[in-house]
């Protein structure tokens, strides 16, 4: 693919980010209070809105729907001390499958010149894209606490702080966009805005790749899951049911093909396996019609 257009926002540099301690950071991991908080959250009690300290870089850009204790994590994705362990923990609880999922997503985009990873978290998915040899990789995330790790981990990539539904990128800035385990973490109307934004900032002919938790985890019964996927099928169902995912039903109820087509995309494929659902769509060029 030929080179793509100028982008818009300046990449974020580490020294421009101020990350004050959040409430959970003020507790020692060895203290009884920390242990009590962790256990009660893990068991699903006392989940609260995330608290953001004054002085946090880009605090005004973080929308209220994102301030959730996703996955029962104390203070969610917002902690100066604990965000570094996020990726390892996520991969552990997903039985080591996330690296394969991210590799699969990146391989789909390997013929692209310029790719944006929406909801890049601590940069594991950006690393997979860089490893694929894609020359111009960008990551965007709403949590500055995770972005710092993404920047440290990926010297060749560029990062911006913001929300996927309203980026500052110019029209047609990328020939590839991806989102790994992000769309099920936003309310339905925000997901709609994200899909529209992807269409706007993709170049005609560009590709959108989405990886999300498989619909099988929700739509199939326990016995069927056991028969088709063994104990791991049951395990993922258990995770999907008991872990704090406030918007997961919005995602599960969505007819993604209709949504994508209503925003102008052409659906390429939609495969549900375990634990992931993989969606590939294309922004048509005029000659595709
Ligand atoms: C489950 S994590 C996945 C992170 C990463 N893609 C990976 O593969 O590890 C979801 C990420 O999406 C980010 N996120 C959620 N809503 C967002 C939004 N509207 N705009 C940008 N990032 C968002 C969160 O901050 C978090 O880092």
């Amino acid at each position: 693919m030929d080179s793509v257009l100028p982008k818009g926002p300046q990449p974020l540099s580490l020294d421009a980010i101020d990350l004050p301690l959040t409430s959970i950071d003020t507790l020692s991991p060895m203290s009884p209070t920390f242990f009590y908080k962790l256990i009660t959250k893990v068991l699903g009690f006392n989940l609260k809105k995330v608290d953001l300290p004054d002085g946090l870089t880009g605090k005004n850009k973080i929308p209220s729907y994102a301030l959730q204790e996703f996955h029962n994590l104390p203070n969610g994705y917002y902690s100066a001390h604990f965000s570094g362990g996020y990726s390892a923990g996520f991969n552990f609880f997903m039985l080591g499958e996330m690296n394969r999922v991210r590799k699969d997503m990146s391989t789909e985009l390997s013929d692209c010149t310029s790719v944006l990873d929406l909801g890049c978290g601590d940069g594991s998915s950006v690393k997979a894209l860089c490893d694929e040899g894609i020359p111009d990789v960008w990551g965007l995330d709403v949590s500055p606490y995770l972005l710092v790790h993404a920047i440290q981990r990926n010297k060749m990539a560029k990062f911006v702080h913001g929300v996927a539904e309203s980026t500052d990128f110019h029209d047609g800035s990328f020939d590839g966009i991806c989102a790994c385990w992000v769309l099920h973490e936003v309310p339905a109307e925000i997901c709609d805005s994200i899909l529209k934004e992807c269409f706007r900032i993709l170049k005609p002919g560009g590709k959108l790749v989405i990886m999300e938790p498989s619909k099988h985890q929700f739509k199939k019964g326990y016995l069927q899951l056991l028969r088709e996927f063994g104990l791991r099928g049951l395990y993922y169902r258990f995770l999907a049911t008991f872990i704090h995912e406030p918007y997961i039903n919005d995602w599960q109820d969505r007819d993604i093909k209709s949504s994508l087509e209503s925003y102008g995309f052409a659906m390429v494929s939609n495969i549900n396996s375990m634990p992931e659902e993989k969606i590939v769509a294309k922004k048509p060029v005029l000659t595709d019609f």
Side-chain angles (χ1 to χ4, degrees):
M1 286 195 177
D2 36 297
S3 65
V4 249
L5 297 170
K7 312 276 179 247
Q10 283 301 307
L12 196 59
S13 72
L14 275 182
D15 47 10
I17 307 175
D18 202 0
L19 294 184
L21 299 184
T22 57
S23 55
I24 192 71
D25 295 318
T26 58
L27 299 174
S28 154
M30 305 310 282
S31 70
T33 319
F34 177 82
F35 186 71
Y36 172 78
K37 279 206 177 213
L38 186 65
I39 292 297
T40 49
K41 304 271 180 201
V42 167
L43 294 175
F45 300 116
N46 205 19
L47 293 168
K48 290 186 175 151
K49 277 248 165 181
V50 160
D51 102 87
L52 296 178
D54 289 338
L56 172 66
T57 303
K59 180 177 173 179
N60 60 345
K61 288 190 192 168
I62 304 173
S64 130
Y65 72 78
L67 302 179
Q68 309 282 341
E69 294 190 312
F70 288 104
H71 308 165
N72 306 48
L73 284 172
N75 221 44
Y77 297 130
Y78 300 83
S79 152
H81 289 166
F82 301 104
S83 51
Y86 160 74
S87 187
F90 182 27
N91 206 35
F92 174 81
F93 282 106
M94 292 306 290
L95 307 178
E97 291 281 355
M98 288 317 293
N99 289 338
R100 178 190 59 74
V101 168
R102 295 183 190 115
K103 163 85 183 143
D104 187 16
M105 177 177 85
S106 308
T107 306
E108 280 288 347
L109 294 163
S110 58
D111 59 346
C112 293
T113 302
S114 194
V115 172
L116 173 63
D117 182 24
L118 294 174
C120 65
D122 69 358
S124 305
S125 35
V126 165
K127 181 174 182 314
L129 293 161
C130 292
D131 289 349
E132 212 54 51
I134 299 165
D136 186 34
V137 178
W138 290 68
L140 175 148
D141 203 280
V142 68
S143 166
Y145 292 94
L146 288 175
L147 267 180
V148 161
H149 298 285
I151 297 172
Q152 285 164 343
R153 187 167 287 164
N154 297 282
K155 301 283 183 237
M156 303 302 289
K158 304 176 194 82
F159 293 90
V160 288
H161 178 231
V163 289
E165 58 272 31
S166 171
T167 72
D168 292 330
F169 291 108
H170 299 318
D171 294 1
S173 284
F174 298 94
D175 56 2
I177 298 181
C178 57
C180 179
W181 253 248
V182 178
L183 298 186
H184 71 281
E185 292 195 359
V186 298
E189 66 279 11
I190 302 296
C191 182
D192 281 312
S193 305
I194 293 176
L195 297 177
K196 273 190 232 171
E197 182 72 349
C198 288
F199 191 82
R200 182 184 73 76
I201 61 177
L202 259 184
K203 204 180 141 174
K207 210 191 242 187
L208 172 66
V209 182
I210 298 168
M211 299 295 216
E212 292 297 332
S214 169
K215 294 224 166 45
H216 291 331
Q217 293 170 25
F218 301 86
K219 307 274 182 216
K220 294 199 177 203
Y222 286 101
L223 262 181
Q224 212 180 347
L225 282 171
L226 187 63
R227 232 180 284 127
E228 285 181 39
F229 304 104
L231 283 176
R232 59 194 276 284
L234 285 186
Y235 169 77
Y236 288 123
R237 169 68 179 250
F238 172 83
L239 264 194
T241 312
F242 292 106
I243 215 154
H244 187 53
E245 292 280 23
Y247 310 116
I248 191 92
N249 290 338
D250 290 6
W251 173 253
Q252 291 299 320
D253 293 342
R254 177 175 291 274
D255 176 351
I256 188 66
K257 183 169 186 287
S258 305
S259 300
L260 285 166
E261 287 175 354
S262 70
Y263 297 126
F265 283 101
M267 190 77 169
V268 176
S269 61
N270 182 9
I271 302 166
N272 271 284
S273 40
M274 191 61 91
E276 79 275 22
E277 172 176 13
K278 174 173 154 186
I279 298 149
V280 181
K282 200 176 150 192
K283 175 170 176 171
V285 284
L286 283 178
T287 50
D288 288 345
F289 289 106

